[in-house]
């Protein structure tokens, strides 16, 4: 490959340009923010709580619309209603837990060249 084509390749692609330390720190900071956001978004408590609330609403509605024959099958207990209410309570518990105790942000990493942290 000639020197001219290699030089033009470096100028044409932004990923081949040299980044200043300030640019690198800014990009690292943005990635850490995105990572923390993803961790909060995909917290298992949010997923479990949301699913239990959705299914709890569905089963509770089925309990309210249960026929006498359905209730007789469960020996006089409206099992869909009670199960749905229990699922709703569990889902709300998970969501309240998530709100009261959010995921802690990761500790800041040591910046290369910063020897004062040792």
């Amino acid at each position: 490959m000639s020197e001219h084509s290699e030089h033009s390749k470096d100028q044409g692609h932004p990923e081949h340009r040299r980044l200043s330390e300030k640019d690198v720190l800014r990009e690292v900071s943005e990635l850490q923010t995105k990572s923390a956001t993803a961790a909060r978004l995909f917290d298992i408590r949010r997923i479990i709580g949301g699913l239990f609330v959705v299914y709890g609403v569905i089963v509770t509605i089925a309990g309210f619309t249960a026929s006498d024959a359905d209730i007789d099958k469960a020996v006089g207990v409206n099992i869909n209603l009670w199960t749905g209410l229990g699922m709703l309570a569990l889902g709300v518990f998970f969501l309240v837990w998530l709100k009261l105790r959010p995921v802690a942000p990761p500790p800041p990493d040591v910046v290369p060249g910063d020897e004062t942290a040792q």
Side-chain angles (χ1 to χ4, degrees), residues 4-49:
H4 176 69
S5 64
E6 190 173 314
H7 179 68
S8 64
K9 177 182 169 186
D10 287 345
Q11 286 181 342
H13 297 286
E15 65 267 10
H16 291 289
R17 66 180 166 85
R18 292 192 180 257
L19 298 174
S20 69
E21 185 175 340
K22 183 179 177 182
D23 291 336
V24 170
L25 291 175
R26 181 181 48 80
E27 287 186 28
V28 167
S29 175
E30 287 175 3
L31 287 173
Q32 286 176 339
T33 302
K34 289 178 183 178
S35 176
T37 301
R40 283 191 304 271
L41 182 62
F42 294 109
D43 187 354
I44 193 73
R45 295 173 294 179
R46 179 183 311 266
I47 296 168
I48 291 172

Side-chain angles (χ1 to χ4, degrees), residues 34-86:
K34 289 178 183 178
S35 176
T37 301
R40 283 191 304 271
L41 182 62
F42 294 109
D43 187 354
I44 193 73
R45 295 173 294 179
R46 179 183 311 266
I47 296 168
I48 291 172
L51 285 174
F52 267 98
V53 166
V54 168
Y55 288 126
V57 166
I58 293 169
V59 175
T60 301
I61 290 171
F64 281 130
T65 61
S67 67
D68 290 336
D70 291 334
I71 294 172
D72 289 341
K73 285 182 190 177
V75 192
V77 177
N78 192 342
I79 196 72
N80 284 337
L81 180 64
W82 288 108
T83 303
L85 292 174

